[in-house]
């Protein structure tokens, strides 16, 4: 499992993020405080505070480089 910080501070970013990660068969969780939601759930994402960076947990050891390339636009520097 790998965790990274991402930013989803607009509706368009949320939509494109979900579309980007649904191509993978792995589980992705978003962690914000004590809440953990499925990162492939648009409704779940909108229940979080999107004004701050969110932790993304990637439940895969395979294809990490490919996944990181796909989520690059959302990573917090």
């Amino acid at each position: 499992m790998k965790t990274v910080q991402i930013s989803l501070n607009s509706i368009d970013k949320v939509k494109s993020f979900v579309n980007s990660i649904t191509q993978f068969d792995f589980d992705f969780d978003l962690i914000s405080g004590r809440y953990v939601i499925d990162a492939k759930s648009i409704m779940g994402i909108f229940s979080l505070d999107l004004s701050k960076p969110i932790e993304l947990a990637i439940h895969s050891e395979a294809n990490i480089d490919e996944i990181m390339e796909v989520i690059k636009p959302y990573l917090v520097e």
Side-chain angles (χ1 to χ4, degrees), residues 10-73:
S10 74
I11 293 170
D12 290 335
K13 265 189 163 181
V14 170
K15 283 194 233 172
S16 63
F17 172 76
V18 171
N19 287 338
S20 297
I21 65 168
T22 50
Q23 67 182 321
F24 298 105
D25 289 334
F26 318 117
D27 287 332
F28 295 83
D29 290 327
L30 288 174
I31 304 157
S32 179
R34 60 189 174 123
Y35 300 104
V36 178
I37 60 120
D38 181 0
K40 295 180 180 178
S41 165
I42 290 179
M43 292 304 289
I45 293 172
F46 283 122
S47 70
L48 299 175
D49 179 3
L50 300 177
S51 65
K52 310 184 274 215
I54 305 166
E55 190 173 328
L56 173 67
I58 304 163
H59 298 279
S60 169
E61 295 303 322
N63 300 29
I64 283 292
D65 292 337
E66 185 182 350
I67 294 167
M68 293 304 290
E69 192 61 38
V70 167
I71 64 170
K72 194 181 216 172

